[in-house]
Structure formats: C-alpha cells, structure tokens
Amino acid sequence: MIQEFGAEYAYDNHFEPCEPGEKDYVLHFRDRGCLTRVTHVGGSDADAGDSGEVIDLPRLADYPRRPSRVTYLFSLGEERLFLALDDSLPVPAGFSYESVNWLRHAEPQHLLFAAATASQLDRWYRENRFCGRCGHPTELAPSSREIVCPECARIVYPKICPGVIVAVVSLADDPADDRIVLTRYAGRTTALWALVAGFTEIGEPLEGTVRREVMEEVGLSVKGLRFYKSQPWSFTDTLMAGFWCEVDGADALRVDHSELKEARWFRRDEIPLERTSDRASLTGEMIERFRLYGRGAWGD
Ligand SMILES: [Zn+2]
C-alpha cells in the first residue's frame, strides 16, 4: 500500500521547527499539481519489464531563489521534507506541476507517499489562511503542526476524515464458490472495480459506517465484521479502515445507481485482473487477497 515502502525511508511525522538545507526536499504545489521532475525509463525494449515513470521532487538547491515561506513537513529516513507556501516561486529547470493522482503510477513509492501526504498538508495550510471563527488572518504555530489565530486563539489541526473500505463476501459449502461484491462508481473516467466504501458520518462508529454504506450502496445486511488494515489516503484527506464481513441473509444486490454504475458478486476465478498491479490502494490489496486466498484472505 501507499504507506508501505523500504524501512530506510521510515516516516517520522514529529514536527520540529527547522530550516531546510540545500539538499533537503522543498515541495511546492500549484493548482493541485506537485512540482515534480519526471523521467521515462524503459519502454523501447518489449522485454523490459520495468518501463514507466520515475519521479524526483525538488530540493532547495534546485530553486532559482530561496522560497519565502517554508515549513517543515516530515522526514523519510535520512531525508527531510519541507513545504514552500510561496505562490510566486519560479519553476526550477526540468520540473513541472504534475497531478498528485497521476503520480500514483510512478516510482519510487516513498516519493509518491511524500507528494500525496504533503499535498494534504498544503491544502490544509491554504484552506485555513483565515480564522473560521473570527475571520482574522491565521499564523503557523512556531513549534507544532498547528494553525493558530492570533486574534481569538483558535487552533486548527490537520484535517483527517475517517472512512471505510468493505469487502462483503458470501461463503459457500465449496470454498471455490466463495464470492465477493465488487462495485463500479458512476461518473468517473477511471472506473475500476472496487469495494464498497464511504466516509464516516458525525456521531457514527466505524462499524456503523460499514453497515450503513453496505446497505446504502448494495442493499445487503452484513455480519462478522473483521478489521483488516487501515490506510492513509491523502488524495482525499482520508484515513481508510478496511473491513471484511459476510452477507447476512438474502444476497440479492439492490444497487444505488445514484452513486454506482454497477455492482455484482464475483467468484474468485471471475475477479478481473485489473487490480493486480495496484500497489498503492487498500482496495486493490483486499481484492487481490481474496482472488488469491479466498476465505484465507483475512486469516493470520
Ligand atoms: Zn480567530
């Protein structure tokens, strides 16, 4: 998944006030694009299995001038990353603004994670330039990751929205006939088969989100909820919690066509292979685990 990469790039989110050195990464975003240098590798040789896009992110030394507003983000192993909140920053040679969502297809994974996570913090900084209580311009707290209002002392913390990903399965007498519900969203250009998913509502526990979303999207009751893993999904300011559960009672799907294009039951051998190379998402991992291991997917 997106947060799973080499231990040499261990994520350390502890905030410390510091200034970037010439070799530190300084990320910059414009119109939801991340300043990136993209290199295409392979591809000319049909046997080359590793063709694709390799990305690098800008370091302080790459910029023609020093950014005016920079805050510390986090570190990945020995690498320190900062964020420039300087809208007039000139673009360094060889770099361009690339959609963070597009970067999901690129390597290396730790820099994809860095760009996605930094983009979430960049949105948070930009969307809280004024106090939501009194309207006064806000400031960055000097020694913590907080935005503060100097007028009314309001403190704003980074926005993280919980949500769930739900694999609903039906277990048969013969494990070869075990099935899983896959869904496809309506109105999206990249509509891969996915799992039931949705955001947690105010006052709702995660288990409640699971039961409500499954009922709303495909009209099923479920039982035997098992938490699997969670995943930060910075593209939508989300922390996703993945659950396995079994259909409880009637298994006829009643699809919510306002949200979904379609939904249906798949036996393991019917599951499309379109997710097998999806290394980033919890959805992809859960679908692939069920395809490979069936009811062993959620075992120890
Ligand atoms: Zn205020």
Side-chain angles (χ1 to χ4, degrees):
M1 292 192 291
I2 189 169
Q3 75 274 24
E4 295 174 343
F5 40 79
E8 69 270 33
Y9 297 115
Y11 177 56
D12 183 351
N13 188 38
H14 174 71
F15 186 88
E16 51 182 313
C18 54
E19 293 291 323
E22 291 292 300
K23 292 184 177 177
D24 288 325
Y25 286 110
V26 178
L27 278 58
H28 190 246
F29 295 85
R30 186 166 286 161
D31 298 331
R32 300 181 76 89
C34 178
L35 195 56
T36 310
R37 179 162 52 204
V38 181
T39 308
H40 188 77
V41 296
S44 57
D45 178 354
D47 295 328
D50 289 334
S51 72
E53 314 292 344
V54 174
I55 60 168
D56 199 7
L57 300 173
R59 299 177 188 268
L60 182 62
D62 291 317
Y63 289 97
R65 69 161 171 79
R66 200 175 176 89
S68 62
R69 292 183 73 210
V70 176
T71 186
Y72 176 69
L73 288 172
F74 45 79
S75 64
L76 295 174
E78 298 296 309
E79 301 280 13
R80 296 197 310 168
L81 292 94
F82 293 78
L83 174 67
L85 294 163
D86 178 348
D87 285 336
S88 62
L89 199 56
V91 178
F95 286 82
S96 57
Y97 291 90
E98 302 294 339
S99 148
V100 178
N101 208 33
W102 177 83
L103 296 180
R104 283 169 59 184
H105 304 291
E107 297 277 0
Q109 194 158 344
H110 71 282
L111 291 185
L112 163 62
F113 172 83
T117 308
S119 77
Q120 181 174 357
L121 287 163
D122 182 76
R123 278 195 300 282
W124 173 67
Y125 285 121
R126 291 176 185 276
E127 292 170 2
N128 289 281
R129 289 182 298 163
F130 297 92
C131 177
R133 180 193 284 153
C134 76
H136 197 277
T138 57
E139 298 173 355
L140 306 189
S143 58
S144 57
R145 183 165 292 119
E146 298 170 349
I147 294 171
V148 297
C149 174
E151 183 70 17
C152 74
R154 178 172 181 258
I155 301 173
V156 186
Y157 298 99
K159 175 183 172 188
I160 305 171
C161 305
V164 299
I165 291 172
V166 192
V168 183
V169 303
S170 172
L171 302 184
D173 292 337
D174 180 350
D177 292 327
D178 288 351
R179 295 174 301 160
I180 187 169
V181 175
L182 300 185
T183 67
R184 261 210 280 228
Y185 282 105
R188 295 192 187 177
T189 49
T190 55
L192 297 179
W193 286 100
L195 298 173
V196 170
F199 288 109
T200 300
E201 301 276 5
I202 291 280
E204 185 177 62
L206 292 172
E207 300 90 322
T209 314
V210 169
R211 295 180 191 285
R212 178 180 53 74
E213 286 288 346
V214 175
M215 180 56 73
E216 285 178 3
E217 289 193 7
V218 294
L220 298 178
S221 297
V222 293
K223 63 182 180 182
L225 275 62
R226 293 163 187 259
F227 172 71
Y228 174 58
K229 282 182 182 177
S230 62
Q231 172 181 51
W233 196 244
S234 292
F235 306 97
T236 50
D237 298 339
T238 312
L239 176 65
M240 302 302 290
F243 287 86
W244 299 96
C245 59
E246 291 172 54
V247 61
D248 186 12
D251 66 0
L253 301 180
R254 191 185 68 243
V255 180
D256 172 12
H257 286 289
S258 68
E259 186 164 351
L260 298 179
K261 180 176 165 192
E262 56 186 324
R264 54 167 281 211
W265 288 102
F266 286 82
R267 272 203 335 255
R268 289 171 56 191
D269 58 2
E270 298 172 325
I271 293 175
L273 300 179
E274 62 190 14
R275 289 278 191 178
T276 54
S277 62
D278 176 1
R279 296 154 300 118
S281 79
L282 179 56
T283 299
E285 177 173 313
M286 291 176 75
I287 293 172
E288 185 64 1
R289 278 188 71 85
F290 187 77
R291 189 180 73 81
L292 292 173
Y293 309 119
R295 62 184 67 181
W298 50 89
D300 296 328

